[in-house]
Amino acid sequence: MSVLIRPVRNDDFDRWLPLWDGYNAFYGRHGASALDPAITRVTWQRFLDPAEPMFAGVADVDGALCGLVHFLYHRSTTRIEPVCYLQDLFTAETARGQGMARALVEHVYAHAGAAGVRRVYWQTQAGNAAARVLYDRLAAHAGFIVYAHDV
């Protein structure tokens, strides 16, 4: 098995979409709570637009996509250079335990480093125990609790 972690390409959409759907289902965004398809279309377009600070990488195993990572750069009040928010990370169930999630996070680290960004951060649900085992190896838990409110 040959695994290549690489940026998405325009022709990846049909292979990326089932991973995106799986990610959203994992976080309860399906059925009546599903994302509006327009959000998916605009998100995909942003990944491919060089003027956007949003990026997507995939784990490509002999032409089959088995994982995704989405990240973006933004300003911070605590740093001069931008920071990187790793927003989405997902691997297909059949690909778990093979190091793909680690490789996808390391892809983000490399991309951020090349862009002069020194901090990558992300969040996950407290109950996502399997992912947290990996995350605890890759980064320091800062202890923050996330609040959100739609307006």
Side-chain angles (χ1 to χ4, degrees):
M1 174 174 69
S2 173
V3 180
L4 172 65
I5 306 299
R6 61 169 176 79
V8 293
R9 300 183 304 241
N10 191 43
D11 65 343
D12 286 329
F13 182 79
D14 290 337
R15 292 174 292 153
W16 167 86
L17 186 58
L19 293 167
W20 177 237
D21 289 343
Y23 173 81
N24 284 303
F26 180 83
Y27 282 107
R29 293 185 294 257
H30 55 85
S33 299
L35 285 180
D36 182 326
I39 294 172
T40 295
R41 283 192 305 275
V42 169
T43 297
W44 181 257
Q45 291 167 356
R46 287 175 176 163
F47 295 148
L48 300 171
D49 183 346
E52 286 284 347
M54 292 181 67
F55 305 90
V58 289
D60 183 327
V61 179
D62 301 324
L65 301 188
C66 299
L68 62 76
V69 65
H70 305 148
F71 54 102
L72 57 103
Y73 299 146
H74 66 87
R75 302 246 184 248
S76 172
T77 60
T78 61
R79 293 175 180 260
I80 293 171
E81 73 279 354
V83 296
C84 178
Y85 176 52
L86 191 164
Q87 187 165 10
D88 311 313
L89 176 67
F90 184 76
T91 58
E93 193 169 335
T94 57
R96 294 185 185 150
Q98 299 176 32
M100 283 186 213
R102 174 184 291 273
L104 287 161
V105 171
E106 290 173 348
H107 170 79
V108 175
Y109 287 173
H111 195 282
V117 173
R118 297 186 342 221
R119 166 144 310 153
V120 175
Y121 73 99
W122 62 93
Q123 60 188 356
T124 193
Q125 290 180 331
N128 192 354
R132 291 186 67 189
V133 169
L134 172 64
Y135 299 163
D136 287 343
R137 292 183 188 133
L138 294 173
H141 181 268
F144 285 91
I145 298 170
V146 177
Y147 292 86
H149 176 78
D150 291 339
V151 292

